[in-house]
Amino acid sequence: MTELLQAAVLPPNLLPTALLVFVLLYWLTVVAGLLDMKTVDLDLSDHGHAHFDSDAPHEGMGTSWLNGALAFFNLGRIPLMIFLSFVFLPLWVGSILLNYYTGNTSLPLGLAFFLPLFIGSLFVAKFLTLPFVKLFMAMEKDHDGGAVVIGKVCTVLLPATTEHLGQASVRIDGAPLILNVRSTNAPLGKGETALVIDFDAARKCYLIEPFAG
């Protein structure tokens, strides 16, 4: 463990280490309820299509290419920070291993390794996030398909407030369904019981309130 920490702070590994620390700190704040999963996110809609206002045909072609690239890497289908987490972790591991086996301690060479490692990590993240794509698609399908969750009792998994998005689990026909939720009034902490009262179409989350039954 000591050798790993020493390798992590070597000059060629500093940038990947900093990116990994960034996502770790982000998830700590999410778990603590200070942020939600969509605090840092892309402004995407319509299943991964970015909207740009432009009258120029060549710019429309450019945004079409961008939309295709975003969709290919599952961006817009899952929260941005989930995707970045699966990019930065293999990037960090790859940097540690590559610099270790090449005996590199030079920052310039480490930066030269960074770009191909980053590109490779994007493709790794694409496949690692496929289960999350299916999960979020299933969540949307359950709502669009008329799954009856409004009026159901749920258990809070991630803290939710009126401003910060959390998550809750509700059982539908015996199967657990994970919902993105916000509290309508009092903050709700992990493990608390709540009642699903409505769906916020604008924010794509369910509204819950404390439940004592």
Side-chain angles (χ1 to χ4, degrees):
M1 180 62 71
T2 302
E3 293 180 355
L4 181 60
L5 292 176
Q6 290 175 344
V9 296
L10 287 175
N13 298 320
L14 278 178
L15 181 55
T17 297
L19 294 174
L20 182 63
V21 169
F22 166 72
V23 295
L24 290 176
L25 290 176
Y26 172 82
W27 288 116
L28 285 175
T29 59
V30 169
V31 172
L34 301 177
L35 295 174
D36 61 59
M37 286 195 301
K38 294 188 177 181
T39 299
V40 181
D41 210 346
L42 294 176
D43 185 15
L44 302 175
S45 58
D46 296 335
H47 304 287
H49 293 280
H51 290 278
F52 299 88
D53 293 327
S54 172
D55 296 326
H58 69 278
E59 291 185 5
M61 293 175 61
T63 58
S64 177
W65 176 88
L66 177 59
N67 289 336
L70 293 174
F72 177 79
F73 287 109
N74 299 329
L75 287 166
R77 300 174 181 174
I78 60 174
L80 174 64
M81 291 306 297
I82 290 181
F83 179 78
L84 290 182
S85 298
F86 283 101
V87 172
F88 294 160
L89 181 57
L91 173 64
W92 179 77
V93 172
S95 179
I96 294 289
L97 293 176
L98 183 58
N99 287 297
Y100 174 78
Y101 285 110
T102 59
N104 176 47
T105 58
S106 167
L107 177 59
L109 184 55
L111 293 176
F113 288 154
F114 180 85
L115 182 58
L117 284 171
F118 180 76
I119 294 174
S121 297
L122 288 176
F123 287 92
V124 171
K126 169 183 170 61
F127 292 102
L128 292 180
T129 55
L130 286 177
F132 291 90
V133 172
K134 295 178 181 179
L135 173 63
F136 282 94
M137 287 179 64
M139 291 168 59
E140 291 186 4
K141 181 178 179 181
D142 285 331
H143 177 261
D144 296 338
V148 181
V149 297
I150 296 176
K152 299 286 188 180
V153 175
C154 64
T155 302
V156 178
L157 302 178
L158 290 176
T161 68
T162 56
E163 297 297 327
H164 294 146
L165 191 70
Q167 288 190 330
S169 173
V170 61
R171 288 192 171 276
I172 302 296
D173 296 328
L177 179 64
I178 307 300
L179 309 175
N180 290 326
V181 297
R182 290 181 188 269
S183 174
T184 58
N185 41 55
L188 290 163
K190 180 179 180 180
E192 293 190 57
T193 301
L195 182 68
V196 183
I197 62 172
D198 202 358
F199 181 76
D200 186 340
R203 295 181 174 181
K204 294 184 178 180
C205 66
Y206 287 88
L207 302 179
I208 61 175
E209 63 180 20
F211 177 80

